[in-house]
Amino acid sequence: MRKLRSAFYLFLLTCTSGVLAYHFIEGMSFSDAIFMTAITISSVGFGEVQPLSGIGRIITIFIIVFGITIAGYTLGTFIRMLIEGEISERFGRKKVAKRISGLKNHFIVCGFGRIGKLITKELMKNNEKVIVLENDTKRVPELEAMHVTYMLLDASDEATLLKAGIMKAKGLVTAVMSDADNVFITLTARMLHPDIYIMARASDAKNEKKLTSAGADKVVSPYLIGGQRMAQMLIRPTVVDFIDIATMDDKLGLRMEEAKISAKSNYIGKTLVESNLRKDFGVIIVLIKKYNGEMKFNPQPTEILEMNDVIVMLGKINDVEKINAII
């Protein structure tokens, strides 16, 4: 645009200079001067409006050379902008579509407002694959700055979710501003992929039941959680600080992590003491969530590990990552 604007100003300057030169030097009226400048720049060959002096002919030569050159450059710049913009956009869409088609076990985040942006940051921080669905073009600079894969489409549209690879996705988060839209997105996602994990945002706590009925596995009300957290910081500040360090802050090199025992795991059928997790990795086993949903806090050494059990542990980042890979 800057090049096009500069070229246009130069072309305008050439035309204005020609009109003024013909008017003051050759004594033409303004209408004749404008006409003479126009036919000179366009090279239509209509001939002179009136006989020109030597200086007038020199002026005409300069107008022809500069006028045609600048006009050609301006037109070429404009055409190149159109062609390059269209080609770039088309290749960009194809590139994103190709990238998405190769994804699996990724997360789809619907809405890139304050909540959606924070969710996307945390997922990317933990090396999760993310696709953001946002229909507000004002969010594009932020999306580009974060280098996140995104689609400028309506998340409530069935075709959009299919393009985002919902059939191969691990989970979907709907965090748009309207609870009604969140309900509709949840319904559509659940209809397309009955087994996908869906987390939905509720701006109003009264709508949590509706979102659950629509198929959300987890409904989160940011305002309610924010209020509860502020209260807990006043009542139990040390506990809150510890949880923050264990779950979100890597400053101390500690992390609270979970690991699900897979069907091929060598730990199936072993007791906690036989697994040697505490001995080999120095982690603290906080709880075991049994495959039937039962929570066992501070489990006993004799607790038997079974397939699909989820172990929650606290330890050094490297150690918990190793355990997760092994289990």
Side-chain angles (χ1 to χ4, degrees), residues 242 256-257 272 278 283-288 296-299 311-315:
F242 168 73
M256 189 173 286
E257 187 63 274
L272 202 55
R278 288 171 172 160
V283 296
I284 300 170
I285 307 299
V286 180
L287 70 87
I288 297 175
K296 297 204 171 183
F297 294 92
N298 191 22
I311 299 173
V312 178
M313 54 204 158
L314 176 66

Side-chain angles (χ1 to χ4, degrees), residues 91-139:
F91 272 97
R93 287 198 301 265
K94 284 185 178 180
K95 191 176 179 181
V96 171
K98 187 177 180 181
R99 193 187 309 157
I100 292 171
S101 65
L103 286 178
K104 61 180 181 179
N105 294 325
H106 58 284
F107 287 97
I108 300 172
V109 178
C110 304
F112 197 69
R114 286 176 297 177
I115 302 299
K117 185 177 180 180
L118 288 171
I119 293 169
T120 303
K121 274 186 177 179
E122 284 300 315
L123 288 172
M124 293 179 70
K125 181 181 175 183
N126 287 274
N127 299 317
E128 295 287 353
K129 293 169 282 188
V130 186
I131 294 175
V132 175
L133 301 180
E134 175 59 63
N135 58 4
D136 187 356
T137 54
K138 293 178 183 177
R139 307 284 186 190

Side-chain angles (χ1 to χ4, degrees), residues 53-65:
S53 65
I55 296 176
R57 288 178 180 178
I58 294 173
I59 292 169
T60 303
I61 292 171
F62 274 100
I63 292 174
I64 291 172
V65 172

